[in-house]
């Protein structure tokens, strides 16, 4: 049996999509277990850029089956748009290739409305994620099975009464979507998605029994986990390795627990960021790394690597491997700083590393990387007690060094 899980080790946007794309070449199944269309996984193939929000990145591999697990929250209309975009790019999307868990919750227009009205303090993506998870916890949510079986109407009516009243009373918001319009749209989406909405557990269990390669694709990052992250500046789901088991309902002993981390740190939205560079260097990182949100287009906050935060992320998830991304972005930055400790006043203590300046995409092996670059990578490996699996040296599918066989 071979089960690998890919998790963002920072605050999201680590480049998980590309790592999953590399790994999914030999995967029979690619499975998402949490989050929703707040995620934005960017993959560049043959110069063409794909941004996937909900559909697992394995959809870009023709032989791969993709599962959206029960821990996800699904905006059915945004999902249909994503499906249509893939089809128009020549990608086959069919019920055989995409399984949507019937117990996954539905993000409705009321959730998006409330998120837009209340999300500014946290800096949410405005995709209705928090309100959808809140309704799930309150046990008043709409599930994908409701769309398939046309049982959503009374629940959507209750959402209108609750969220509509809140929007009007607290925010003086008058433009509350009408329940009939919302239901028309949800019914239409339900019809179009009907054959895709299933119980995916038997498929997952049978893949495990067969020993098939299954890749579990995390969304966001460990530091955004609702329980373990920088609360309240977090998303509303469990983004860690542990979240996969609860999100799918199938216990899985992951052999490879792969942490994806950027060679530096970024964060989008509000909340603590000890190594943030609110200066020229941060701006250069943002421009060179094209650090703008794949979902919202917001500029990402940029800073140096933060070892104390990463050490904690590694302890919590028992990561065995590292996929390091965007190493090329650091080229030309002169001396590189890494926070390796925390001072008494809470500010980061830095260790300086020699910079490197070269076109890293030309390096076909680890040994061909500049010596200073190798030192940086080995330091990260040693500090985090995990092995480098992939080093991404550029945006393209092929700009990646495989340090060992991916499966
Ligand atoms: P929400 O998930 O939209 O509720 O947003 C909560 C926090 O998580 C905000 O700071 C968002 O910017 C952040 N967030 C959510 N999804 C992602 C992601 O895919 N990448 C990076 N940050 C994210």
């Amino acid at each position: 049996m071979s089960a690998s899980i890919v998790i963002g080790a920072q605050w999201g946007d680590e480049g998980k999509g590309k790592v999953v794309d590399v790994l999914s070449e030999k995967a029979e199944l690619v499975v998402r277990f949490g989050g929703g269309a707040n995620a934005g996984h960017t993959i560049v193939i043959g110069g063409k850029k794909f941004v996937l929000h909900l559909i697992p990145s394995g959809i870009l591999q023709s032989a791969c089956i993709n599962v959206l697990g029960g821990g996800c929250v699904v905006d059915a209309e945004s999902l249909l748009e994503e499906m249509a975009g893939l089809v128009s790019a020549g990608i086959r999307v069919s019920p055989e290739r995409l399984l949507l868990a019937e117990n996954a919750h539905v993000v409705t227009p009321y959730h998006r409305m409330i998120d837009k009205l209340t999300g500014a303090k946290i800096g949410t993506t405005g995709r209705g994620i928090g309100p959808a998870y809140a309704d799930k916890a309150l046990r008043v949510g709409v599930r994908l099975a409701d769309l398939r079986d046309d049982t959503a109407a009374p629940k959507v009516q209750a959402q209108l009464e609750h969220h509509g009243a809140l929007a009007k009373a607290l925010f003086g918001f008058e433009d509350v979507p009408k329940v009939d319009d919302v239901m028309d749209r949800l019914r239409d989406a339900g019809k179009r998605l009907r054959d895709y909405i299933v119980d995916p557990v038997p498929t997952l269990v049978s893949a495990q029994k067969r020993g098939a390669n299954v890749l579990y694709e995390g969304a966001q990052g460990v530091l955004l986990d609702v329980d373990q992250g920088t609360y309240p500046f977090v998303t509303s789901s469990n983004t860690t390795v542990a979240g996969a088991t609860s999100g799918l309902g199938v216990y899985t002993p992951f052999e490879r627990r792969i942490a994806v981390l950027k060679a530096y740190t970024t964060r989008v939205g509000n909340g603590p960021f000890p190594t943030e560079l609110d200066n020229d260097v941060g701006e250069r990182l943002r421009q060179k790394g094209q650090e703008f949100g794949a979902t919202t287009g917001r500029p990402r906050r940029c800073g140096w690597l933060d070892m104390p935060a990463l050490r904690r992320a590694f302890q919590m998830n028992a990561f065995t491997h590292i996929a390091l991304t965007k190493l090329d972005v650091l080229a030309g930055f002169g001396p590189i700083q890494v926070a390796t400790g925390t001072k008494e006043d809470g500010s980061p203590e830095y260790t300086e590393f020699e910079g490197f300046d070269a076109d890293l995409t030309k390096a076909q092996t680890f040994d061909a990387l500049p010596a200073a670059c190798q030192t940086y990578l080995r330091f990260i490996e040693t500090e985090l007690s995990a092995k480098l699996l992939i080093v991404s040296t550029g945006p393209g599918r092929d700009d990646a060094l495989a340090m060992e066989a991916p499966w």
Side-chain angles (χ1 to χ4, degrees):
M1 190 195 98
S2 195
S4 291
I5 184 163
V6 170
I7 294 283
Q10 294 155 318
W11 279 291
D13 306 319
E14 297 90 352
K16 293 178 289 295
K18 173 167 174 179
V19 174
V20 170
D21 182 50
V22 171
L23 286 161
S24 60
E25 218 167 288
K26 291 213 167 74
E28 206 171 297
L29 258 77
V30 179
V31 180
R32 258 193 72 179
F33 52 85
N38 47 350
H41 293 173
T42 308
I43 299 159
V44 182
I45 302 176
K48 194 168 163 36
K49 187 165 148 181
F50 292 88
V51 182
L52 299 172
H53 297 288
L54 269 164
I55 300 180
S57 314
I59 200 78
L60 302 174
Q61 303 285 353
S62 56
C64 222
I65 294 171
N66 297 272
V67 178
L68 214 52
C72 296
V73 288
V74 180
D75 182 329
E77 289 175 285
S78 133
L79 174 66
L80 282 162
E81 254 173 52
E82 204 170 306
M83 289 161 75
L86 286 167
V87 170
S88 68
I91 312 280
R92 195 163 55 87
V93 182
S94 65
E96 293 72 42
R97 296 206 59 215
L98 179 63
L99 277 57
L100 309 175
E102 59 193 2
N103 59 332
H105 278 248
V106 175
V107 177
T108 70
Y110 299 118
H111 296 139
R112 286 199 299 273
M113 171 188 77
I114 289 293
D115 198 14
K116 290 204 175 102
L117 291 171
T118 61
K121 181 179 147 233
I122 304 297
T124 67
T125 58
R127 297 295 179 108
I129 306 300
Y133 278 113
D135 274 358
K136 164 172 152 170
L138 283 169
R139 289 148 295 179
V140 295
V142 176
R143 305 207 284 181
L144 280 178
D146 291 312
L147 296 196
R148 181 192 59 202
D149 306 337
D150 196 14
T151 50
K155 297 167 189 171
V156 175
Q157 174 68 34
Q159 282 189 7
L160 162 74
E161 285 159 19
H162 177 77
H163 295 305
L166 202 73
K168 281 184 189 160
L170 293 185
F171 301 96
F173 185 78
E174 290 298 336
D175 206 11
V176 178
K178 296 203 174 23
V179 75
D180 290 344
D181 295 343
V182 170
M183 271 318 301
D184 282 351
R185 282 158 59 186
L186 289 180
R187 273 208 185 92
D188 180 54
K191 271 188 203 138
R192 292 161 67 192
L193 291 174
R194 181 166 295 152
D195 294 341
Y196 292 83
I197 302 171
V198 293
D199 173 11
V201 169
T203 305
L204 293 169
V205 171
S206 121
Q208 275 193 20
K209 281 203 179 130
R210 276 200 321 281
N213 289 345
V214 183
L215 185 60
Y216 296 78
E217 178 181 6
Q220 291 85 42
V222 172
L223 306 175
L224 286 171
D225 183 274
V226 65
D227 291 309
Q228 311 302 338
T230 48
Y231 190 89
F233 300 99
V234 292
T235 189
S236 302
S237 59
N238 288 117
T239 56
T240 51
V241 170
T245 298
S246 61
L248 295 165
V250 180
Y251 174 72
T252 308
F254 303 106
E255 276 130 16
R256 284 190 167 176
R257 299 174 294 278
I258 304 163
V260 185
L261 54 114
K262 241 178 231 184
Y264 47 98
T265 312
T266 63
R267 171 162 208 171
V268 61
N270 303 328
F273 184 171
T275 60
E276 182 167 13
L277 290 163
D278 196 7
N279 57 18
D280 273 14
V281 183
E283 185 54 36
R284 273 173 59 213
L285 275 175
R286 185 175 306 119
Q287 294 305 333
K288 185 157 184 220
Q290 278 304 291
E291 297 295 354
F292 298 91
T295 299
T296 58
R298 289 180 289 176
R300 295 179 186 139
R301 300 156 65 192
C302 298
W304 299 120
L305 208 59
D306 182 345
M307 274 301 162
L310 283 170
R311 276 187 218 119
R312 189 164 165 81
F314 273 63
Q315 281 163 1
M316 287 191 297
N317 291 278
F319 287 125
T320 56
H321 291 81
I322 299 169
L324 191 116
T325 61
K326 291 204 160 177
L327 186 60
D328 52 308
V329 175
L330 277 188
F333 269 82
I336 297 164
Q337 310 292 328
V338 176
T340 44
T342 308
K343 292 185 191 155
E344 254 172 39
D345 65 359
S347 64
E349 198 160 22
Y350 287 102
T351 302
E352 188 170 290
F353 287 80
E354 191 188 329
F356 44 87
D357 197 0
D359 177 1
L360 301 188
T361 55
K362 296 222 161 42
Q364 299 299 316
T365 61
F366 183 84
D367 294 336
L369 290 169
C373 197
Q374 294 186 28
T375 307
Y376 189 61
L377 294 172
R378 291 298 184 209
F379 167 77
I380 293 170
E381 233 182 358
T382 311
E383 275 286 305
L384 299 173
S385 308
K387 281 160 95 178
L388 278 171
L389 182 65
I390 293 170
V391 177
S392 168
T393 52
R397 195 181 220 178
D398 300 328
D399 302 331
L401 304 176
M403 304 285 289
E404 53 180 86
W407 290 95

